[in-house]
Amino acid sequence: MVKLLNKEIQNYINANLKTDLHSLLLKKSPFPEVSMHEIVQQIKGKQVAERKFPFLLKEGILFPPQLNLEQSSSEKTALYKSEILKGKTFIDLTSGFGIDAFYLSQNFDNITLIEQNKELLEIVENNWGILNRKAKFINLKLEDFLNENQEHFDVIYLDPARRDEQKNKVFLLEDLSPDILEIQEKLCSISDLVVIKLSPLIDLKYLVSVLPGISRMDIIALKNDVKEVVVFLSNENTDKIICNCVNLESKESVFSFTFGEEETAQSEYSEPERYIYIPNHSILKAGVFNLISQKFGLKKLHPNSHLYTSSERIENFPGRILEMESVDSKSIKKKGQFNIITKNYPLKPEEIKKKYGLKDGGDQYLIFTQSKKGKIILKSV
């Protein structure tokens, strides 16, 4: 990998950042010491870094294969987590490309990174040297490190990998590597706080039912796209799990609640009033459909629509607020451009556009949904 740091090779990489990569791969490398595949890997890395972790766009930074890039946290989600954690000793047991570790470790004095992939760890060590961040880099399997370790850490961090990539709908802790359920006791014996990043598709009720010791869960969205569920395991006895719904790069406030509150929360129902509220995706992932209604004093349109309404505007709602009115289907036919939203409605947006002769875009919204009285259409005022 060090050969890639040659100035001529780096200049060639930078000169081809916009070049079609498939055509590049068909060419012979102009440098006998590195392959074209290695060069393209660096170009891909810089392209991903530009949108996902721009702090790595520095001279001398090396990038791993695409799979490692895809599995890495974004700079934004890592930065959010870094604002929560602090202490003296920090260890990342599954460091990967080290994005989370780089940010999470900034409030710690002593940092340890464990990674079983030797080449990947060497890339991270090179990059951290460029970024002036010190750490202890250990090339070991997580299980071997845990068997040998005698140290205690203020914070342990893990981002487990999937074992079976074919299972793309049901995410169980047993499907992960390492299996958190197998090593939880050992982890909690060497740290008072264990932080685990999990898939955004994991079921929260399942998680609480199988993983004891959870004190906190953060559902983290970035620009309304849920990226991860972060679980905090604590040795302190607690009968409450604090949950935070976060939508980064929005002006929306964090919605916090105690896990289980939804079970006793109740919604009132109403036909659409002047304002319509659409919860962000972290709220929808949390499934707090009645609690959000109760906490903000909003009325729900239908048990399965997850849209809310009020006659007066309620501020600080974690989602979009639209001023709307009910319309009939005749009034919207071939009326121009709309942002079309469907909630609990039999037709998809593409089918609606075709049926009514509508185009996408513009500043106006159309919502196709159901209230308790049946199917309705709402249009921006």
Side-chain angles (χ1 to χ4, degrees):
M1 294 301 291
V2 176
K3 295 174 183 176
L4 285 163
L5 296 174
N6 177 287
K7 188 172 182 180
E8 287 186 12
I9 297 175
Q10 285 293 308
N11 288 340
Y12 183 84
I13 289 169
N14 291 329
N16 285 278
L17 291 177
K18 303 296 182 182
T19 304
D20 178 70
L21 298 185
H22 294 292
S23 62
L24 247 163
L25 282 169
L26 296 175
K27 295 181 180 179
K28 184 181 178 181
S29 171
F31 309 99
E33 65 269 38
V34 296
S35 68
M36 186 56 81
H37 178 78
E38 291 175 294
I39 289 171
V40 168
Q41 179 177 307
Q42 296 308 303
I43 293 172
K44 282 183 179 177
K46 286 178 178 286
Q47 291 173 344
V48 172
E50 193 170 357
R51 60 177 170 79
K52 200 171 180 182
F53 16 78
F55 79 100
L56 288 180
L57 294 173
K58 292 178 183 283
E59 187 175 345
I61 294 293
L62 295 173
F63 296 95
Q66 189 167 356
L67 180 61
N68 300 117
L69 294 172
E70 290 173 353
Q71 292 174 341
S72 297
S73 292
S74 70
E75 183 176 342
K76 300 295 184 183
T77 58
L79 183 59
Y80 167 79
K81 286 174 282 189
S82 75
E83 294 170 351
I84 300 168
L85 302 172
K86 62 180 180 179
K88 290 186 176 180
T89 53
F90 170 88
I91 184 167
D92 188 335
L93 292 173
T94 56
S95 73
F97 189 38
I99 303 299
D100 274 330
F102 184 82
Y103 278 96
L104 270 66
S105 65
Q106 64 186 11
N107 295 323
F108 294 82
D109 299 324
N110 298 300
I111 303 145
T112 304
L113 272 61
I114 309 297
E115 175 53 51
Q116 63 181 358
N117 184 325
K118 187 172 186 293
E119 184 176 308
L120 182 58
L121 190 65
E122 287 173 352
I123 290 173
V124 174
E125 188 168 1
N126 169 79
N127 294 348
W128 281 41
I130 299 291
L131 298 167
N132 295 316
R133 180 65 57 85
K134 294 181 180 179
K136 186 188 296 183
F137 301 92
I138 300 177
N139 178 216
L140 271 179
K141 288 185 177 180
L142 178 151
E143 293 82 2
D144 293 339
F145 173 80
L146 290 179
N147 288 334
E148 298 174 8
N149 174 67
Q150 299 296 320
E151 292 183 67
H152 189 275
F153 301 92
D154 291 337
V155 175
I156 290 176
Y157 183 77
L158 298 96
D159 179 3
R162 294 295 314 285
R163 279 186 187 151
D164 186 354
E165 292 298 331
Q166 300 305 312
K167 294 182 180 179
N168 54 11
K169 289 189 177 180
V170 179
F171 285 76
L172 304 175
L173 294 185
E174 299 93 316
D175 292 332
L176 304 179
S177 178
D179 182 342
I180 300 300
L181 300 179
E182 285 185 357
I183 64 172
Q184 180 185 2
E185 186 175 345
K186 178 65 175 177
L187 295 176
C188 292
S189 71
I190 61 172
S191 179
D192 294 329
L193 181 61
V194 179
V195 182
I196 308 168
K197 171 189 165 183
L198 296 168
S199 162
L201 297 181
I202 198 158
D203 184 273
L204 302 186
K205 288 183 179 179
Y206 153 78
L207 195 55
V208 171
S209 71
V210 299
L211 194 60
I214 299 176
S215 60
R216 170 175 174 168
M217 288 194 296
D218 285 17
I219 300 103
I220 305 175
L222 177 62
K223 295 180 179 178
N224 209 27
D225 182 12
V226 178
K227 295 295 186 181
E228 55 197 62
V229 173
V230 180
V231 174
F232 299 71
L233 303 181
S234 173
N235 287 330
E236 296 180 8
N237 292 324
T238 176
D239 56 353
K240 291 183 179 180
I241 300 173
I242 302 301
C243 300
N244 300 298
C245 294
V246 182
N247 189 17
L248 301 176
E249 296 215 327
S250 76
K251 295 180 180 179
E252 298 163 12
S253 57
V254 175
F255 182 70
S256 300
F257 62 96
T258 302
F259 191 84
E261 273 191 278
E262 174 68 13
E263 305 301 323
T264 56
Q266 294 183 338
S267 293
E268 290 185 46
Y269 292 89
S270 168
E271 291 303 298
E273 296 180 341
R274 182 176 178 182
Y275 294 99
I276 298 295
Y277 301 79
I278 308 173
N280 69 42
H281 285 171
S282 69
I283 301 290
L284 298 179
K285 170 63 185 176
V288 284
F289 309 125
N290 292 326
L291 187 62
I292 198 80
S293 171
Q294 183 175 288
K295 290 245 180 177
F296 283 90
L298 302 171
K299 296 172 184 175
K300 216 167 184 286
L301 297 186
H302 185 279
N304 299 322
S305 292
H306 310 320
L307 293 171
Y308 305 83
T309 191
S310 69
S311 57
E312 300 293 330
R313 185 183 175 94
I314 306 296
E315 300 296 341
N316 300 318
F317 179 80
R320 278 184 288 180
I321 307 173
L322 299 172
E323 190 174 354
M324 309 201 78
E325 62 182 0
S326 296
V327 295
D328 58 40
S329 57
K330 291 179 182 179
S331 67
I332 63 167
K333 281 191 176 181
K334 297 181 180 178
K335 288 288 186 181
Q337 289 185 310
F338 291 97
N339 296 290
I340 297 170
I341 298 169
T342 60
K343 298 279 187 180
N344 190 28
Y345 198 81
L347 298 180
K348 296 177 181 178
E350 287 301 319
E351 295 171 318
I352 288 170
K353 282 188 285 183
K354 185 176 180 181
K355 180 177 179 179
Y356 295 106
L358 302 172
K359 294 182 180 179
D360 240 342
D363 300 324
Q364 295 289 299
Y365 284 83
L366 281 176
I367 298 178
F368 292 74
T369 187
Q370 292 191 58
S371 70
K372 278 200 161 185
K373 289 185 178 180
K375 293 194 284 288
I376 54 173
I377 303 171
L378 304 171
K379 178 178 171 293
S380 300
V381 174

